[in-house]
Amino acid sequence: VKVESCENMGINVERSPTPSSDGYERFGLIESCVAVNNTRSGIYFDGCYGIAIIVCHAKSNGRYGFETGGVARGIIIGCKTFQNTNYGFYINNARDTTITACVARGDSTGFYLRTLSGRRNACVGCTTEINDNYGIELVGDRWTVSACSMANNGVAGIRITGTHNVIIGTVCHTDDGSQDYGIQIVGGKNNQIIGCVCETNINAGIF
């Protein structure tokens, strides 16, 4: 499915199935969809439980590529964003959600990651490159960012303002002289950086 040039969201999903009264979980699925040149976000999902977004693309949308608000136990796998006006992936108030093998390229910032208080989420094996500002803007708490690659983003590969996050086995580098910092920590506390490689950044590897 391709959704193009809508005056609002390309795809808008609200209140996907929640756990049933008999205890079984029900899940929603969006797969192999493309959202291009929509006025606001390409794909928006809010208040969703157990939704899976798989191999979808969002390009040149007027706000975000993918936007979430209050997703619980969601998975986003193999999705790509390109040249969206603001964030490629805007993940807000996530609960127990995992983002895997996704790519953000040429957006204002690749990933915005924020957590609903007290919950844990993960970003695994994702790639950001040539975004204007940051590869990942980590404002939430208790995220695990693992085995990701941040290259040639305008300011920093990862910017951390949240607390109790773990960055592990991630590479932040530049090969075209365009990334000032590998990992930039601004007011964040009790974060762990383990086994990461920050090299050839203009000003500092970790700042």
Side-chain angles (χ1 to χ4, degrees), residues 1-41:
V1 174
K2 182 177 182 180
V3 182
E4 186 172 3
S5 301
C6 295
E7 293 185 1
N8 204 316
M9 312 290 186
I11 298 172
N12 187 352
V13 181
E14 295 190 17
R15 304 294 187 268
S16 75
T18 56
S20 60
S21 58
D22 56 10
Y24 289 97
E25 295 181 348
R26 300 171 181 152
F27 298 94
L29 172 65
I30 299 174
E31 185 174 6
S32 301
C33 293
V34 179
V36 181
N37 290 324
N38 299 288
T39 301
R40 297 189 70 189
S41 297

Side-chain angles (χ1 to χ4, degrees), residues 45-201:
F45 37 112
D46 182 26
C48 298
Y49 180 94
I51 193 166
I53 313 295
I54 300 176
V55 197
C56 293
H57 295 184
K59 177 182 177 182
S60 301
N61 295 287
R63 194 176 184 186
Y64 312 127
F66 295 82
E67 179 181 0
T68 77
V71 171
R73 297 189 182 179
I75 58 172
I76 304 172
I77 300 175
C79 294
K80 295 181 179 181
T81 68
F82 183 59
Q83 290 186 340
N84 297 283
T85 300
N86 291 308
Y87 297 97
F89 295 84
Y90 184 84
I91 311 301
N92 190 31
N93 290 337
R95 295 183 290 150
D96 308 314
T97 290
T98 301
I99 306 165
T100 304
C102 292
V103 177
R105 189 173 190 269
D107 304 301
S108 176
T109 287
F111 293 80
Y112 174 96
L113 303 179
R114 184 176 180 183
T115 314
L116 191 67
S117 179
R119 308 306 288 259
R120 290 196 173 275
N121 303 277
C123 180
V124 180
C126 294
T127 300
T128 75
E129 58 184 3
I130 61 171
N131 296 288
D132 293 339
N133 296 306
Y134 309 108
I136 293 177
E137 187 174 358
L138 182 47
V139 302
D141 304 329
R142 292 179 165 81
W143 276 85
T144 297
V145 176
S146 176
C148 294
S149 175
M150 313 284 125
N152 302 325
N153 299 285
V155 179
I158 303 175
R159 183 178 192 263
I160 304 172
T161 59
T163 63
H164 301 98
N165 298 292
V166 178
I167 315 298
I168 183 168
T170 289
V171 178
C172 301
H173 70 100
T174 181
D175 55 21
D176 66 359
S178 63
Q179 188 164 282
D180 291 336
Y181 307 102
I183 299 174
Q184 182 185 38
I185 303 172
V186 183
K189 298 179 180 180
N190 300 313
N191 296 290
Q192 298 182 62
I193 300 172
I194 304 169
C196 295
V197 176
C198 298
E199 61 184 4
T200 64
N201 298 283

